[in-house]
Amino acid sequence: ALVAVTAVKDTVFNHYLDIQGNVDTKENILVQPEMPGTLTSLTVKAGQRVGKGQILGRVDDGGMSQQVASIETQYQLAKTTFERQKNLWNQKIGSEIQYLQAQTQMISLQKQVAQARAQLAKTIIRAPFSGTIDEVFVERGQVVSASPQGLMRIVNLSQMYVSTTVPESYIGKLKVGTMVDVYLTSLGKTYKGRVRQVGNYINPNNRSFGIEVSVPNPDNLLRPNQVAKLKI
């Protein structure tokens, strides 16, 4: 008798979670002046690439630079006086009180110089990170201060991610490093992303937790607040 044998092939069934999220970047801020005053210079325009620490503009210092220069001159004199008193004291010439007074005066002025320089530095507006000036809201000669609008918006599009929430039932299945297909509806393109952060808090209202998926941006097409569809 002939016996029919049927070969059974093992098949792996992949289950995917489809969910929607929003594109964002951690480096997307409104630049604010540290000191209010008249904007005496504005050295950038919209669309310009800037490096971290680059000067974007300056606020009128109200004569502060002259004050700093005056204190620095006083410090240099006090330093010279102290060094002379120190040399004399080392030769057992003069009194100890003169030496200590000169030292105290020098240290006091040294601190004043540091404080004055720190205050003057607040009149210089610098880029907090490397990126692109997206918008400029002010003009040179305008009186500026901290405001909801800010002076300009700076954005870095090199480290984009998609944030979304995932049902609680997936808490043990999603880990940092999990690969994710990220489809950008506005671009009609799919990117390969990777889970970079998994939330440790379950929202009691909708029983979900947050995740962040890092997404490469080689073509510089991703923008904050774009809608993305994730296939996890």
Side-chain angles (χ1 to χ4, degrees):
L2 297 175
V3 179
V5 178
T6 303
V8 179
K9 184 179 180 180
D10 290 337
T11 303
V12 177
F13 292 94
N14 289 320
H15 174 69
Y16 288 95
L17 169 66
D18 291 314
I19 200 162
Q20 184 170 295
N22 291 315
V23 177
D24 207 346
T25 173
K26 294 291 186 186
E27 296 185 328
N28 173 16
I29 69 165
L30 294 170
V31 177
Q32 300 282 3
E34 290 191 78
M35 182 176 292
T38 302
L39 193 64
T40 56
S41 71
L42 183 63
T43 58
V44 293
K45 57 184 179 180
Q48 182 176 333
R49 288 279 304 168
V50 296
K52 182 178 180 180
Q54 181 175 331
I55 295 177
L56 309 177
R58 294 176 185 267
V59 174
D60 179 36
D61 63 27
M64 197 182 304
S65 56
Q66 286 82 3
Q67 295 175 21
V68 172
S70 175
I71 297 173
E72 287 176 339
T73 300
Q74 294 175 51
Y75 166 68
Q76 290 300 328
L77 177 59
K79 183 180 179 182
T80 301
T81 302
F82 166 71
E83 289 172 348
R84 288 176 178 174
Q85 288 293 336
K86 182 180 180 182
N87 290 333
L88 291 172
W89 180 242
N90 289 338
Q91 299 173 45
K92 305 302 181 182
I93 301 174
S95 65
E96 184 180 12
I97 190 64
Q98 289 176 313
Y99 165 74
L100 293 175
Q101 286 175 341
Q103 185 182 53
T104 300
Q105 178 71 0
M106 181 192 68
I107 293 174
S108 174
L109 284 167
Q110 188 178 38
K111 291 180 179 178
Q112 290 181 46
V113 167
Q115 292 171 353
R117 285 177 177 172
Q119 193 69 10
L120 182 61
K122 293 182 179 181
T123 64
I124 303 174
I125 302 159
R126 297 182 182 272
F129 51 77
S130 298
T132 302
I133 303 299
D134 190 58
E135 295 178 273
V136 178
F137 307 112
V138 293
E139 296 180 357
R140 187 169 63 87
Q142 185 175 334
V143 176
V144 297
S145 61
S147 66
Q149 176 180 269
L151 303 179
M152 61 194 75
R153 180 180 294 278
I154 180 172
V155 183
N156 183 354
L157 300 178
S158 63
Q159 298 184 26
M160 307 298 288
Y161 69 94
V162 176
S163 60
T164 188
T165 55
V166 178
E168 179 184 6
S169 57
Y170 290 92
I171 190 67
K173 301 178 177 65
L174 275 176
K175 298 179 180 179
V176 172
T178 300
M179 296 302 297
V180 180
D181 285 338
V182 181
Y183 177 73
L184 274 297
T185 54
S186 59
L187 301 176
K189 297 185 66 173
T190 299
Y191 294 82
K192 288 291 183 182
R194 188 185 299 269
V195 175
R196 75 174 192 181
Q197 183 175 319
V198 177
N200 297 311
Y201 171 76
I202 302 295
N203 188 322
N205 296 321
N206 56 16
R207 308 309 306 177
S208 66
F209 61 96
I211 66 167
E212 290 182 2
V213 177
S214 60
V215 186
N217 191 16
D219 303 320
N220 204 35
L221 295 176
L222 301 186
R223 296 290 186 275
N225 299 318
Q226 281 176 310
V227 175
K229 293 182 179 179
L230 306 180
K231 188 175 183 181
I232 306 173

